[in-house]
Amino acid sequence: MSNPASSVQVKTEQLIECIHNALSSQGVPDRDATTVATLMVEADLYGHETHGVFRLRQYMARLHDGGCNARADVSIVHETAATALVDGDNGLGHLALRQACELAISKAREAGIGWVGVRRGNHAGPLALYVRPQAEAGMLGMAASVGSANHVPPFGGTDLLLGTNPIAFSAPNGSEDPFVLDMATTVAAMGKIKVLAQRGDPMPEGWMVGRDGAPLTDPAKKADGFMLPIGGPKGFGLSVAIGLMAGVLNGAAFGSDVVDFTNDTTSETNTGQFVMALNPAAFGMGEEFGETTARIFADMRASEPLPGHDPVRLPGDGKHTAAAERRRNGLSLNHALYEDLLALAERYGFKANLD
């Protein structure tokens, strides 16, 4: 079992430099390495530690083994006034999705909506990174992705043909904490299971089942079972819908075409994603959207809690303050992750500079 006190405090600047050095050691250009390193640390700053710095080992393996293009040339391959398709050139996924997010916002300012798909991408961290900017710009955001490996069978089946297929939404609400919902279509994200495995902690019942249908609680045996969709057939249906919009629509992988980016570090994944920005001005609204949302949210937070429950919170509440505190004081890394970063530095020959 992990010890909660077993952690190491690291300054954010040190972490960004460490990840930059790691990516640069595999031929990633300086500017791209800085972009990806900053986004990875930002994921941890906002509490998405399962999809931030923790993922460096997987990215390094794919860069080293040729499955990911270190010097990607991200480009727009199709475009209309309100839509576009971005080709990630099999580079680090953060690069294509960040460009897609910026392009969607730009189009929404002109056309009212911007919808940008991505093909030939890769794992890009938490989708929250690519919907928060829309809310900060006074818009609504949405993003979704085909999972980077198949861990889920179709409802009632046994063949692994679906991933966690996450989806995220955002909206302004007149505060520093916009509404940001980022969720997998499975009961738990695979990243959470991997973190538990790294720490030596068990999974709660209900996250996975074995092929015999019995609960699976040992994260080290995750390959022996199935992840469960949220809401049974409803989660399955939502996952399929995301696969159609983020995968098939973009000419990206879905279903049996998905490559397991952890176990196969040499093949192109052709990961598909999309990012959307929606401008309230296109509906005759401006700041009043956020003002109305703030009032509605205030009513929800004021709802009397059930006995034994904490006060009502909305997705995104407290994120700004928590992130600001971590920027000041540094990030608390689980000791296993800290040791893993040092091991990566020794293996790939870069300076960690985490002392």
Side-chain angles (χ1 to χ4, degrees):
M1 301 289 288
S2 66
N3 178 2
S6 181
S7 61
V8 181
Q9 204 76 7
V10 179
K11 294 180 179 178
T12 57
E13 297 83 0
Q14 288 179 293
L15 267 179
I16 291 173
E17 181 182 3
C18 173
I19 297 171
H20 175 278
N21 292 346
L23 300 176
S24 295
S25 75
Q26 300 306 303
V28 178
D30 183 72
R31 181 177 179 179
D32 290 348
T34 297
T35 296
V36 175
T38 301
L39 286 168
M40 289 176 66
V41 172
E42 186 176 347
D44 282 62
L45 289 172
Y46 280 101
H48 306 284
E49 63 274 2
T50 59
H51 285 64
V53 177
F54 173 76
R55 297 287 180 159
L56 182 60
R57 174 170 287 275
Q58 292 171 300
Y59 301 157
M60 292 294 285
R62 290 192 56 76
L63 287 166
H64 180 268
D65 295 347
C68 181
N69 179 9
R71 305 187 70 86
D73 180 16
V74 180
S75 61
I76 300 171
V77 293
H78 189 80
E79 188 172 17
T80 70
T83 66
L85 176 62
V86 168
D87 189 306
D89 196 24
N90 192 34
L92 290 161
H94 304 68
L95 301 174
L97 213 49
R98 166 53 71 88
Q99 181 169 325
C101 177
E102 293 173 347
L103 183 57
I105 293 173
S106 176
K107 288 183 175 296
R109 288 196 176 104
E110 298 297 324
I113 186 172
W115 184 294
V116 182
V118 174
R119 73 182 186 195
R120 300 186 67 217
N122 271 295
H123 191 281
L127 289 175
L129 295 178
Y130 312 102
V131 296
R132 191 178 187 90
Q134 289 91 313
E136 291 173 343
M139 302 182 188
L140 290 83
M142 181 169 66
S145 175
V146 175
S148 297
N150 285 339
H151 303 292
V152 187
F155 190 75
T158 57
D159 295 312
L160 298 180
L161 294 170
L162 291 164
T164 57
N165 292 9
I167 188 166
F169 300 90
S170 69
N173 61 9
S175 78
E176 294 177 323
D177 278 327
F179 177 89
V180 178
L181 172 66
D182 184 349
M183 54 173 265
T185 52
T186 46
V187 175
M190 177 52 74
K192 291 185 178 180
I193 295 173
K194 290 180 177 179
V195 167
L196 291 178
Q198 186 185 61
R199 296 177 179 177
D201 291 338
M203 291 185 290
E205 285 192 14
W207 285 17
M208 295 189 71
V209 296
R211 290 184 175 272
D212 58 358
L216 181 64
T217 59
D218 183 353
K221 296 182 179 179
K222 59 184 181 295
D224 298 335
F226 306 137
M227 296 183 72
L228 296 175
I230 53 172
K234 294 181 180 180
F236 162 60
L238 178 59
S239 182
V240 172
I242 290 170
L244 297 176
M245 291 187 292
V248 178
L249 185 62
N250 299 327
F254 180 48
S256 60
D257 294 333
V258 170
V259 172
D260 186 331
F261 88 128
T262 301
N263 294 322
D264 182 347
T265 57
T266 62
S267 301
E268 179 173 333
T269 63
N270 190 20
T271 299
Q273 297 123 340
F274 72 78
V275 182
M276 183 273 287
L278 186 63
N279 193 344
F283 299 86
M285 296 197 76
E287 293 183 0
E288 54 269 41
F289 178 90
E291 293 168 355
T292 301
T293 303
R295 175 176 54 79
I296 294 169
F297 284 1
D299 290 342
M300 292 182 179
R301 294 188 187 96
S303 178
E304 183 71 21
L306 282 168
H309 282 252
D310 293 330
V312 173
R313 292 167 57 89
L314 274 296
D317 280 0
K319 292 287 188 180
H320 176 82
T321 299
E325 182 178 344
R326 293 181 185 120
R327 289 185 202 277
R328 288 193 305 270
N329 302 325
L331 283 163
S332 181
L333 299 185
N334 179 273
H335 198 268
L337 175 56
Y338 178 80
E339 292 295 332
D340 193 49
L341 294 177
L342 297 182
L344 289 174
E346 182 176 355
R347 177 178 179 181
Y348 293 105
F350 65 88
K351 292 183 178 181
N353 294 332
L354 295 177
D355 297 333

